[in-house]
Amino acid sequence: MHPVAEAELLGQNADGIPFRAKSHHVHRTWARTFSSIPELYIQPESVEEVEKTVSLARKCRRRIVTTGCGHSPSNITCTSSWMVNLDRFNKILSVDSETGVVTVESGIRLFTLCEALERYGLAMPNLGSINQQSIAGAISTGTHGSSVQHGLMSEDVLLLKITLANGTTQSCSAESNPELFKAALLSLGALGIITEVTLRAVPAFTVKWAQTIDTDYKLFTSWPLDLWTQSEFVRVWWFPYTRRAVVWQGDKTTEPEREPPVSYYDGALGYYVYHNLLYAAQFVPRVLPWVEWFVFGMQYGFANGSVSSAVQPSRKALLMNCLYSQFVNEWAIPLHKGPEALRRLSSWLNQLTPADPDYVPHNIPFSADGLYVHAPVEVRVSDTTLTANVRPLLDPTVEDGPTLYLNATLYRPYWSDPPCRERYYEAFEWLMKDLGGRPHWAKNFETHRPDIEAMYGDNLDDFRRIRDMVDPEGMFVGPWHRDRIMADLNGSKLELEEVEVSRKKATSGGLITLGFV
């Protein structure tokens, strides 16, 4: 019998539990960097449906991939087997306005959650740069915001429920089933399907923010002083060619809301001007330093010291616009190494010599001749050491102090890959590892198992042990996991583990289509 027909036959509703599956679905990442065609695309609407799906997958000997919005630009959510999308599994189950304890189904998107919390007078304590992810996806990949007063978003999670490969759903927390909790707080989809999240919200708050563009010399001067402690929320965009930086800082306030100033360049005009300039740079990369000067001068001001400000609800103020399809390569390093990292990257990108006053030895063993990259580099912070909650086993942040995140974004104008990507990211990852960094799990990094084993040591061993205990046949394991976090099996694989067998680049748009067995 055809496997789809077999699954549909087994999934008939004799037990009264729907099996909401369809075939011929094309899955694409948000950035359209990867795509795949799952055998079945399943959208459960209850825990019972999730459990039924897992039980059927075990009977049909299929792997399961769980996905939400697919915002990660890597191939972690690609499969030719069964894909479970949780967009219809998105209810708020309970809210206690006095304690702030909220329980939700795992597929709820962050923007929906934040809007609902506001109606109860509550808010998320912190947010990442976007709000399109599901709450489970944000937790499972180590999403963070930008504040030395906050850690990963998972620090606010009190309890998780997760459906395991045997079809049962278990609860875990810091007090109950703590080993599973430590693994599930950053699971990378490799343990099972998170079905329920209980977290602690805070009273709704408004943020007064201001952003200032100035020289990166001023940035480096203030770095060891008050740059990261002057406000509760601080983030930076660094421009490597103009050697300038935008410092954004925000604090809670009771002032009335005030939208940021809008110029004629904001909106559609600026969006399409930048997009088309990026596309032109695909063919003439040497214009990128000029593009950086022009576009971000128009956006933030050409004069050093230019300031803009606003007062907005936290669910709006803490976000940023990702603009276009993009590759992202973000690493976590110790906060105090930030100036060294940016100066070394600047020396390499700008090909400075010892005669240049801003030169520092970069020691990067790759040539930057003819290389031009996109801007800006996103600079954010967190401090997971402050959390009273359990730290995930695969937490990439610094173990004994605040963490700096450097994100080297490369846009894909009109879905086309930038010519600088391979060499830039090779050098960037070399530098990050030289500074003791770890990659953000959801991004486009090419560092693989041997280096990651050295980075995580016993924590990775513990994660593997727990993962193998709850999913011994590898129902939730694919090639992304094998290349990065799974043990080396000398070419063999787990019984249900999926292996990539083909990869084809689309003729239009640079999309990579994957095939698996």
Side-chain angles (χ1 to χ4, degrees):
M1 182 180 293
H2 190 276
V4 174
E6 178 188 11
E8 289 174 344
L9 179 63
L10 288 170
Q12 287 179 351
N13 298 343
D15 56 5
I17 301 173
F19 181 60
R20 306 175 198 272
K22 65 180 182 180
S23 55
H24 308 297
H25 173 83
V26 179
H27 167 71
R28 297 181 179 90
T29 61
W30 172 83
R32 297 196 180 186
T33 44
F34 290 95
S35 72
S36 63
I37 302 176
E39 183 179 72
L40 288 180
Y41 182 74
I42 306 157
Q43 291 188 297
E45 298 181 14
S46 68
V47 174
E48 292 76 16
E49 291 180 39
V50 173
E51 292 174 340
K52 179 174 183 172
T53 296
V54 172
S55 296
L56 287 174
R58 189 174 65 257
K59 291 177 182 178
C60 295
R61 314 309 294 160
R62 291 294 184 271
R63 180 203 175 196
I64 288 180
V65 170
T66 310
T67 185
C69 70
H71 203 272
S72 172
S74 77
N75 62 321
I76 190 171
T77 58
C78 290
T79 183
S80 292
S81 193
W82 289 12
M83 177 172 289
V84 173
N85 173 269
L86 298 176
D87 282 349
R88 297 180 184 174
F89 190 63
N90 60 359
K91 298 182 183 66
I92 294 179
L93 302 177
S94 67
V95 177
D96 188 324
S97 298
E98 293 187 4
T99 64
V101 175
V102 180
T103 299
V104 299
E105 291 178 337
S106 59
I108 192 169
R109 300 289 186 93
L110 290 177
F111 65 87
T112 303
L113 175 59
C114 289
E115 290 170 0
L117 289 178
E118 194 169 61
R119 294 195 288 270
Y120 290 95
L122 297 172
M124 297 291 288
N126 195 17
L127 288 170
S129 295
I130 63 166
N131 61 0
Q132 297 297 313
Q133 312 108 306
S134 67
I135 184 67
I139 292 166
S140 297
T141 52
T143 297
H144 60 90
S146 191
S147 170
V148 290
Q149 297 182 32
H150 299 273
L152 303 180
M153 283 183 62
S154 62
E155 72 180 0
D156 302 307
V157 174
L158 304 176
L159 181 143
L160 294 172
K161 289 186 179 179
I162 181 168
T163 301
L164 304 177
N166 62 8
T168 66
T169 301
Q170 290 190 20
S171 296
C172 57
S173 67
E175 295 78 29
S176 174
N177 208 348
E179 279 203 326
L180 180 60
F181 190 57
K182 289 178 72 174
L185 280 176
L186 206 165
S187 70
L188 302 172
L191 301 179
I193 302 175
I194 294 175
T195 57
E196 191 174 295
V197 180
T198 298
L199 56 89
R200 192 180 302 280
V202 298
F205 62 96
T206 302
V207 174
K208 180 179 181 180
W209 60 261
Q211 59 185 18
T212 306
I213 188 164
D214 216 320
T215 65
D216 65 1
Y217 174 79
K218 188 171 182 179
L219 172 77
F220 298 145
T221 300
S222 63
W223 196 290
L225 302 176
D226 64 348
L227 173 63
W228 302 107
T229 57
Q230 60 187 328
S231 296
E232 181 173 354
F233 304 100
V234 182
R235 60 178 181 253
V236 171
W237 294 276
W238 176 70
F239 304 96
Y241 296 119
T242 57
R243 300 296 306 277
R244 301 209 296 170
V246 173
V247 177
W248 184 101
Q249 57 190 90
D251 288 290
K252 294 171 183 172
T253 184
T254 57
E255 292 183 21
E257 293 181 21
R258 171 170 49 86
E259 289 298 308
V262 178
S263 72
Y264 76 93
Y265 181 77
D266 289 314
L269 177 62
Y271 179 91
Y272 287 109
V273 165
Y274 189 30
H275 205 176
N276 284 290
L277 287 173
L278 287 171
Y279 188 69
Q282 299 287 90
F283 307 97
V284 190
R286 68 183 61 190
V287 304
L288 280 172
W290 177 86
V291 171
E292 178 186 303
W293 170 82
F294 174 75
V295 167
F296 295 102
M298 292 293 291
Q299 184 70 31
Y300 300 111
F302 290 97
N304 290 335
S306 298
V307 180
S308 59
S309 63
V311 180
Q312 296 177 300
S314 61
R315 63 181 176 84
K316 294 174 64 177
L318 299 179
L319 305 179
M320 60 169 285
N321 190 342
C322 286
L323 294 177
Y324 323 111
S325 169
Q326 58 194 248
F327 293 112
V328 283
N329 199 340
E330 180 175 84
W331 285 65
I333 64 174
L335 178 60
H336 70 273
K337 293 186 177 181
E340 177 189 352
L342 295 178
R343 284 182 170 129
R344 290 173 66 181
L345 191 59
S346 175
S347 281
W348 183 73
L349 285 172
N350 291 297
Q351 300 186 65
L352 301 183
T353 68
D356 294 300
D358 295 324
Y359 169 81
V360 296
H362 57 74
N363 299 324
I364 296 173
F366 309 104
S367 171
D369 287 347
L371 184 75
Y372 298 93
V373 304
H374 299 165
V377 172
E378 187 182 38
V379 185
R380 294 184 291 163
V381 292
S382 76
D383 194 344
T384 312
T385 64
L386 301 178
T387 183
N389 201 355
V390 169
R391 295 186 70 171
L393 288 170
L394 297 184
D395 180 357
T397 62
V398 176
E399 296 178 359
D400 56 358
T403 295
L404 179 75
Y405 303 91
L406 294 181
N407 186 351
T409 299
L410 290 175
Y411 293 113
R412 303 179 64 246
Y414 299 107
W415 317 113
S416 58
D417 293 351
C420 61
R421 179 195 173 197
E422 184 174 349
R423 190 158 33 126
Y424 181 36
Y425 278 179
E426 184 178 41
F428 181 73
E429 292 193 26
W430 184 93
L431 177 60
M432 293 299 99
K433 285 185 279 192
D434 193 54
L435 293 167
R438 293 172 173 174
H440 188 306
W441 293 109
K443 310 303 185 181
N444 293 108
F445 64 94
E446 294 299 329
T447 294
H448 294 284
R449 182 192 303 117
D451 286 328
I452 289 173
E453 287 176 336
M455 293 171 186
Y456 285 90
D458 292 343
N459 280 350
L460 181 56
D461 291 338
D462 288 343
F463 181 88
R464 288 169 172 171
R465 175 179 54 80
I466 297 164
R467 205 224 66 79
D468 290 346
M469 180 174 59
V470 298
D471 179 25
E473 293 185 298
M475 178 183 287
F476 298 99
V477 175
W480 187 96
H481 302 100
R482 177 61 62 193
D483 289 346
R484 291 164 176 83
I485 63 169
M486 299 295 289
D488 184 3
L489 297 181
N490 295 318
S492 62
K493 69 181 187 71
L494 301 175
E495 189 169 345
L496 298 183
E497 179 181 343
E498 196 171 29
V499 177
E500 181 182 329
V501 295
S502 65
R503 183 175 291 207
K504 180 180 180 181
K505 190 168 184 176
T507 55
S508 59
L511 191 78
I512 302 294
T513 302
L514 304 178
F516 305 86
V517 293

